[in-house]
Amino acid sequence: MLARRIIPCLDVKDGRVVKGVSFVNLRDAGDPVEVAKAYDEQGADELTFLDITASHERRGIILDVVKRTSEQVFMPLTVGGGIKTLDDIRELLKAGCDKVSINTSAVYNPRFIKAAAERFGSQCIVVAIDAKRTALVDDSVRAEQIIEVAEKLPWHADPDLKNLFFQGVDENEIHWELYTHGGRKPVYIDAVAWAAKMEEFGAGEILLTSMDQDGQKNGYDLELTRAVSAAVGIPVIASGGVGNLEHVYDGLVKGRADAALAASIFHYKEYTIGECKEYLRSKGVPVRL
Amino acid sequence: MIAIIDYGMGNLRSVQKGFQQVGHEAEVTSDSKAILDASHVVLPGVGAFPDCMRNLESFGLVDTIHKAIESGRPFLGICLGLQLLFEEGEEFGVHPGLGILKGRVVRFPTVVADNAESLYKIPHMGWNRVHIKKHAPHLADVKDGDYFYFVHSYYVSPADPEVAATTTDYGIDFVSSVWKDNVFATQFHPEKSQGLGLGILKRFGELR
């Protein structure tokens, strides 16, 4: 039986590991290669580097980090952050990474995912979704906001895609909307419908982060995780909000995620990967130990 | 020297670094002569079956692979490099493969999971167990039930069940590695399967 995966995520800025709380207040937590080796020894199932380097000129640093990591760590490696072109993907794969995770570029050009999947194969294209529960605002205000944002998206009139925008929110139903730019910009697109569209365009996996829960240590947004997992036939990685091992269990079992991504509980040595997996196994979740 | 065939598909650096990690020299090459001069040949690959075949053809390597295998030197196929060894694949229409082993490459069926609430996700992505069918030399250190890293949507269905070295359960039992004479191949990625995977690369490099 396929094991559920435990994936530590390292935020990397200018070649160093940092971890933000709700994507601000960054703290330096070391050399990514050293941290990757430590997680390898602990039995992590995969590793994810999220490159949050702001300046474009310094983005080449992540390639060096990937190269050095892949010389010493023999497990699947995903890199996300700032990927805009097929060349960006090719460079990362050549450096030794296995999958790339794409968020903002997919929102601005959904067919980029299609092109990437056709060129490199679905298995290496992860679409990252930052989702937040919709605030209930007056429909007319909302319509204006949607129009303002939509007009910045080059595909807003595409008949195949434009129904992804909210057409009005039913207050009796829960909705999640998409955010881009590391969770800063709302784009008024339904996160569950988006996930399904990305699968159709060739995404091989969804990395799903709850912007409400991220950094809060209250657990994943289980309703969101379950909704997306039910809407797609590709694996879903739950992310955002893990504060203890029960949260990991809930994400995999109640949220029906295929993999659990976490950062701070592992980075600050609250739990080792091994402890996490022992806990999951004791509760009947298939894990690799 | 181990030759890793470069035909424009996939993460070859990890395969090369994996061999180096366990003390085997390996080079990434698309040069026919270098491949035929090598002591061992590796055919890696990720991507789509027809693209990979097309690239092998445009790099002029189909004949080289046949010659390398006929010469009797140890040959290792990884992931798509396993699938390409078979007669035909049904990814994006039916396309011929290298035809070194008899059988087809088929897509995972849609199977309802045990809890009856969800389907098995495709691609089959992550760590799964192998069950040993016969003791192949490259898998000498592998125990029944060991975990390896998989990522694929299609699997091989050999005409001759005797070539199966291991099987894996993902809704159905599929062949996860094969061995016939000097041809060794795994559906999973040894270069991404930590110590156990590197052990396979080490054993393969030691074969004569």
PDB file of all heavy atoms in Angstrom, chain A residues 2 9 11 29 54 59 102 110 116 119 128 131 138 149 161 180 187 214 221 226 228 253 257 288:
ATOM      1  N   LEU A   2       0.441   2.220  -0.757  1.00  0.00           N
ATOM      2  CA  LEU A   2       1.185   3.476  -0.866  1.00  0.00           C
ATOM      3  C   LEU A   2       1.208   4.174   0.499  1.00  0.00           C
ATOM      4  O   LEU A   2       0.174   4.333   1.137  1.00  0.00           O
ATOM      5  CB  LEU A   2       0.504   4.374  -1.895  1.00  0.00           C
ATOM      6  CG  LEU A   2       1.211   5.669  -2.260  1.00  0.00           C
ATOM      7  CD1 LEU A   2       2.531   5.399  -2.952  1.00  0.00           C
ATOM      8  CD2 LEU A   2       0.317   6.522  -3.160  1.00  0.00           C
ATOM      9  N   CYS A   9       9.102  21.421   4.672  1.00  0.00           N
ATOM     10  CA  CYS A   9       9.256  22.506   3.703  1.00  0.00           C
ATOM     11  C   CYS A   9      10.216  23.543   4.253  1.00  0.00           C
ATOM     12  O   CYS A   9      10.087  23.985   5.397  1.00  0.00           O
ATOM     13  CB  CYS A   9       7.899  23.146   3.439  1.00  0.00           C
ATOM     14  SG  CYS A   9       8.005  24.586   2.363  1.00  0.00           S
ATOM     15  N   ASP A  11      11.667  27.289   3.693  1.00  0.00           N
ATOM     16  CA  ASP A  11      11.629  28.565   2.983  1.00  0.00           C
ATOM     17  C   ASP A  11      13.072  29.019   2.824  1.00  0.00           C
ATOM     18  O   ASP A  11      13.811  29.082   3.810  1.00  0.00           O
ATOM     19  CB  ASP A  11      10.847  29.609   3.795  1.00  0.00           C
ATOM     20  CG  ASP A  11       9.353  29.343   3.760  1.00  0.00           C
ATOM     21  OD1 ASP A  11       8.946  28.308   3.183  1.00  0.00           O
ATOM     22  OD2 ASP A  11       8.588  30.151   4.305  1.00  0.00           O
ATOM     23  N   ALA A  29      17.118  30.062   9.824  1.00  0.00           N
ATOM     24  CA  ALA A  29      17.299  28.772  10.502  1.00  0.00           C
ATOM     25  C   ALA A  29      18.319  27.865   9.828  1.00  0.00           C
ATOM     26  O   ALA A  29      18.270  26.655   9.990  1.00  0.00           O
ATOM     27  CB  ALA A  29      15.966  28.051  10.683  1.00  0.00           C
ATOM     28  N   ALA A  54      13.664  37.739  -3.131  1.00  0.00           N
ATOM     29  CA  ALA A  54      12.899  38.793  -3.784  1.00  0.00           C
ATOM     30  C   ALA A  54      13.575  39.281  -5.061  1.00  0.00           C
ATOM     31  O   ALA A  54      12.939  39.393  -6.104  1.00  0.00           O
ATOM     32  CB  ALA A  54      12.682  39.951  -2.823  1.00  0.00           C
ATOM     33  N   ARG A  59      18.281  35.187  -7.938  1.00  0.00           N
ATOM     34  CA  ARG A  59      17.512  33.956  -8.024  1.00  0.00           C
ATOM     35  C   ARG A  59      18.344  32.755  -8.438  1.00  0.00           C
ATOM     36  O   ARG A  59      17.974  31.620  -8.160  1.00  0.00           O
ATOM     37  CB  ARG A  59      16.327  34.131  -8.969  1.00  0.00           C
ATOM     38  CG  ARG A  59      15.358  35.200  -8.507  1.00  0.00           C
ATOM     39  CD  ARG A  59      14.029  35.019  -9.177  1.00  0.00           C
ATOM     40  NE  ARG A  59      13.571  33.650  -9.005  1.00  0.00           N
ATOM     41  CZ  ARG A  59      12.839  33.252  -7.985  1.00  0.00           C
ATOM     42  NH1 ARG A  59      12.461  34.096  -7.083  1.00  0.00           N
ATOM     43  NH2 ARG A  59      12.483  32.000  -7.884  1.00  0.00           N
ATOM     44  N   ILE A 102       4.292  25.638  -8.852  1.00  0.00           N
ATOM     45  CA  ILE A 102       3.991  26.898  -9.541  1.00  0.00           C
ATOM     46  C   ILE A 102       2.688  27.473  -9.012  1.00  0.00           C
ATOM     47  O   ILE A 102       1.687  26.761  -8.918  1.00  0.00           O
ATOM     48  CB  ILE A 102       3.877  26.656 -11.069  1.00  0.00           C
ATOM     49  CG1 ILE A 102       5.185  26.047 -11.596  1.00  0.00           C
ATOM     50  CG2 ILE A 102       3.543  27.952 -11.811  1.00  0.00           C
ATOM     51  CD1 ILE A 102       5.088  25.524 -13.014  1.00  0.00           C
ATOM     52  N   PRO A 110      -2.847  30.348 -17.081  1.00  0.00           N
ATOM     53  CA  PRO A 110      -3.158  28.942 -16.756  1.00  0.00           C
ATOM     54  C   PRO A 110      -2.592  27.966 -17.783  1.00  0.00           C
ATOM     55  O   PRO A 110      -2.228  26.843 -17.443  1.00  0.00           O
ATOM     56  CB  PRO A 110      -4.678  28.901 -16.777  1.00  0.00           C
ATOM     57  CG  PRO A 110      -5.123  30.313 -16.589  1.00  0.00           C
ATOM     58  CD  PRO A 110      -4.065  31.183 -17.175  1.00  0.00           C
ATOM     59  N   ALA A 116       3.901  23.391 -19.663  1.00  0.00           N
ATOM     60  CA  ALA A 116       4.931  22.791 -18.803  1.00  0.00           C
ATOM     61  C   ALA A 116       4.720  21.278 -18.689  1.00  0.00           C
ATOM     62  O   ALA A 116       5.672  20.496 -18.753  1.00  0.00           O
ATOM     63  CB  ALA A 116       4.921  23.443 -17.427  1.00  0.00           C
ATOM     64  N   ARG A 119       5.707  19.577 -21.880  1.00  0.00           N
ATOM     65  CA  ARG A 119       7.146  19.567 -22.126  1.00  0.00           C
ATOM     66  C   ARG A 119       7.880  18.632 -21.163  1.00  0.00           C
ATOM     67  O   ARG A 119       8.778  17.904 -21.541  1.00  0.00           O
ATOM     68  CB  ARG A 119       7.687  21.002 -22.024  1.00  0.00           C
ATOM     69  CG  ARG A 119       9.192  21.158 -22.085  1.00  0.00           C
ATOM     70  CD  ARG A 119       9.746  20.850 -23.480  1.00  0.00           C
ATOM     71  NE  ARG A 119      11.195  20.892 -23.494  1.00  0.00           N
ATOM     72  CZ  ARG A 119      11.992  19.908 -23.116  1.00  0.00           C
ATOM     73  NH1 ARG A 119      11.465  18.778 -22.684  1.00  0.00           N
ATOM     74  NH2 ARG A 119      13.298  20.026 -23.161  1.00  0.00           N
ATOM     75  N   ALA A 128       0.725  24.998  -6.875  1.00  0.00           N
ATOM     76  CA  ALA A 128       0.557  25.437  -5.493  1.00  0.00           C
ATOM     77  C   ALA A 128      -0.647  26.367  -5.438  1.00  0.00           C
ATOM     78  O   ALA A 128      -0.774  27.291  -6.241  1.00  0.00           O
ATOM     79  CB  ALA A 128       1.800  26.156  -5.012  1.00  0.00           C
ATOM     80  N   ALA A 131      -5.103  29.350  -0.539  1.00  0.00           N
ATOM     81  CA  ALA A 131      -6.546  29.572  -0.513  1.00  0.00           C
ATOM     82  C   ALA A 131      -6.979  30.166   0.820  1.00  0.00           C
ATOM     83  O   ALA A 131      -6.415  29.854   1.866  1.00  0.00           O
ATOM     84  CB  ALA A 131      -7.284  28.261  -0.749  1.00  0.00           C
ATOM     85  N   ASP A 138     -20.608  42.765   0.540  1.00  0.00           N
ATOM     86  CA  ASP A 138     -21.728  43.122  -0.324  1.00  0.00           C
ATOM     87  C   ASP A 138     -21.430  42.756  -1.777  1.00  0.00           C
ATOM     88  O   ASP A 138     -20.344  43.018  -2.286  1.00  0.00           O
ATOM     89  CB  ASP A 138     -21.975  44.628  -0.194  1.00  0.00           C
ATOM     90  CG  ASP A 138     -23.177  45.043  -0.987  1.00  0.00           C
ATOM     91  OD1 ASP A 138     -24.305  44.808  -0.511  1.00  0.00           O
ATOM     92  OD2 ASP A 138     -22.978  45.581  -2.089  1.00  0.00           O
ATOM     93  N   VAL A 149      -9.651  43.094 -10.477  1.00  0.00           N
ATOM     94  CA  VAL A 149      -8.585  42.089 -10.489  1.00  0.00           C
ATOM     95  C   VAL A 149      -8.581  41.313 -11.801  1.00  0.00           C
ATOM     96  O   VAL A 149      -7.534  41.094 -12.411  1.00  0.00           O
ATOM     97  CB  VAL A 149      -8.745  41.114  -9.292  1.00  0.00           C
ATOM     98  CG1 VAL A 149      -7.784  39.943  -9.430  1.00  0.00           C
ATOM     99  CG2 VAL A 149      -8.494  41.849  -7.992  1.00  0.00           C
ATOM    100  N   LEU A 161     -12.317  29.744 -19.412  1.00  0.00           N
ATOM    101  CA  LEU A 161     -11.750  29.953 -18.080  1.00  0.00           C
ATOM    102  C   LEU A 161     -12.536  30.954 -17.228  1.00  0.00           C
ATOM    103  O   LEU A 161     -12.455  30.913 -16.001  1.00  0.00           O
ATOM    104  CB  LEU A 161     -10.299  30.450 -18.208  1.00  0.00           C
ATOM    105  CG  LEU A 161      -9.320  29.489 -18.877  1.00  0.00           C
ATOM    106  CD1 LEU A 161      -8.006  30.197 -19.188  1.00  0.00           C
ATOM    107  CD2 LEU A 161      -9.057  28.297 -17.970  1.00  0.00           C
ATOM    108  N   THR A 180      -2.393  35.053  -4.568  1.00  0.00           N
ATOM    109  CA  THR A 180      -1.089  34.904  -5.235  1.00  0.00           C
ATOM    110  C   THR A 180      -0.047  35.744  -4.497  1.00  0.00           C
ATOM    111  O   THR A 180      -0.357  36.367  -3.476  1.00  0.00           O
ATOM    112  CB  THR A 180      -1.149  35.379  -6.703  1.00  0.00           C
ATOM    113  OG1 THR A 180      -1.529  36.752  -6.712  1.00  0.00           O
ATOM    114  CG2 THR A 180      -2.141  34.566  -7.513  1.00  0.00           C
ATOM    115  N   VAL A 187      -7.406  36.950  -5.824  1.00  0.00           N
ATOM    116  CA  VAL A 187      -7.754  37.014  -7.243  1.00  0.00           C
ATOM    117  C   VAL A 187      -9.193  36.559  -7.518  1.00  0.00           C
ATOM    118  O   VAL A 187      -9.588  36.449  -8.668  1.00  0.00           O
ATOM    119  CB  VAL A 187      -6.767  36.240  -8.144  1.00  0.00           C
ATOM    120  CG1 VAL A 187      -5.489  37.021  -8.321  1.00  0.00           C
ATOM    121  CG2 VAL A 187      -6.474  34.872  -7.594  1.00  0.00           C
ATOM    122  N   ASP A 214      -2.227  29.133   7.971  1.00  0.00           N
ATOM    123  CA  ASP A 214      -0.776  29.144   7.895  1.00  0.00           C
ATOM    124  C   ASP A 214      -0.165  29.946   9.033  1.00  0.00           C
ATOM    125  O   ASP A 214      -0.540  31.090   9.273  1.00  0.00           O
ATOM    126  CB  ASP A 214      -0.328  29.716   6.541  1.00  0.00           C
ATOM    127  CG  ASP A 214       1.113  29.385   6.235  1.00  0.00           C
ATOM    128  OD1 ASP A 214       1.435  28.177   6.192  1.00  0.00           O
ATOM    129  OD2 ASP A 214       1.919  30.312   6.076  1.00  0.00           O
ATOM    130  N   ASP A 221      -6.721  23.456   7.395  1.00  0.00           N
ATOM    131  CA  ASP A 221      -8.138  23.694   7.116  1.00  0.00           C
ATOM    132  C   ASP A 221      -8.679  22.393   6.520  1.00  0.00           C
ATOM    133  O   ASP A 221      -8.487  22.107   5.341  1.00  0.00           O
ATOM    134  CB  ASP A 221      -8.303  24.869   6.137  1.00  0.00           C
ATOM    135  CG  ASP A 221      -9.772  25.207   5.881  1.00  0.00           C
ATOM    136  OD1 ASP A 221     -10.628  24.304   6.017  1.00  0.00           O
ATOM    137  OD2 ASP A 221     -10.055  26.366   5.532  1.00  0.00           O
ATOM    138  N   ARG A 226     -10.347  18.544   2.311  1.00  0.00           N
ATOM    139  CA  ARG A 226     -11.254  17.480   1.871  1.00  0.00           C
ATOM    140  C   ARG A 226     -11.954  17.880   0.559  1.00  0.00           C
ATOM    141  O   ARG A 226     -12.136  17.070  -0.333  1.00  0.00           O
ATOM    142  CB  ARG A 226     -12.272  17.184   2.969  1.00  0.00           C
ATOM    143  CG  ARG A 226     -12.995  15.868   2.788  1.00  0.00           C
ATOM    144  CD  ARG A 226     -13.637  15.394   4.070  1.00  0.00           C
ATOM    145  NE  ARG A 226     -14.420  16.460   4.679  1.00  0.00           N
ATOM    146  CZ  ARG A 226     -14.322  16.857   5.936  1.00  0.00           C
ATOM    147  NH1 ARG A 226     -13.478  16.258   6.747  1.00  0.00           N
ATOM    148  NH2 ARG A 226     -15.046  17.838   6.402  1.00  0.00           N
ATOM    149  N   VAL A 228     -10.890  19.887  -1.830  1.00  0.00           N
ATOM    150  CA  VAL A 228      -9.993  19.812  -2.984  1.00  0.00           C
ATOM    151  C   VAL A 228      -9.644  18.360  -3.290  1.00  0.00           C
ATOM    152  O   VAL A 228      -9.638  17.935  -4.452  1.00  0.00           O
ATOM    153  CB  VAL A 228      -8.719  20.665  -2.757  1.00  0.00           C
ATOM    154  CG1 VAL A 228      -7.693  20.417  -3.861  1.00  0.00           C
ATOM    155  CG2 VAL A 228      -9.080  22.139  -2.701  1.00  0.00           C
ATOM    156  N   VAL A 253      -6.185  11.949   7.352  1.00  0.00           N
ATOM    157  CA  VAL A 253      -7.348  11.067   7.492  1.00  0.00           C
ATOM    158  C   VAL A 253      -8.651  11.853   7.283  1.00  0.00           C
ATOM    159  O   VAL A 253      -9.421  11.550   6.375  1.00  0.00           O
ATOM    160  CB  VAL A 253      -7.328  10.348   8.856  1.00  0.00           C
ATOM    161  CG1 VAL A 253      -8.599   9.518   9.049  1.00  0.00           C
ATOM    162  CG2 VAL A 253      -6.089   9.455   8.929  1.00  0.00           C
ATOM    163  N   ALA A 257      -5.840  14.015   2.644  1.00  0.00           N
ATOM    164  CA  ALA A 257      -4.668  14.416   1.851  1.00  0.00           C
ATOM    165  C   ALA A 257      -3.767  13.203   1.641  1.00  0.00           C
ATOM    166  O   ALA A 257      -3.771  12.254   2.431  1.00  0.00           O
ATOM    167  CB  ALA A 257      -3.910  15.523   2.567  1.00  0.00           C
ATOM    168  N   ARG A 288       5.982   5.099   5.784  1.00  0.00           N
ATOM    169  CA  ARG A 288       7.250   4.402   5.563  1.00  0.00           C
ATOM    170  C   ARG A 288       8.135   4.654   6.764  1.00  0.00           C
ATOM    171  O   ARG A 288       8.468   5.788   7.077  1.00  0.00           O
ATOM    172  CB  ARG A 288       7.913   4.949   4.303  1.00  0.00           C
ATOM    173  CG  ARG A 288       9.247   4.329   3.969  1.00  0.00           C
ATOM    174  CD  ARG A 288       9.815   4.972   2.730  1.00  0.00           C
ATOM    175  NE  ARG A 288      10.143   6.369   2.960  1.00  0.00           N
ATOM    176  CZ  ARG A 288      11.395   6.852   2.984  1.00  0.00           C
ATOM    177  NH1 ARG A 288      12.417   6.065   2.796  1.00  0.00           N
ATOM    178  NH2 ARG A 288      11.607   8.136   3.198  1.00  0.00           N
TER     179      ARG A 288
END
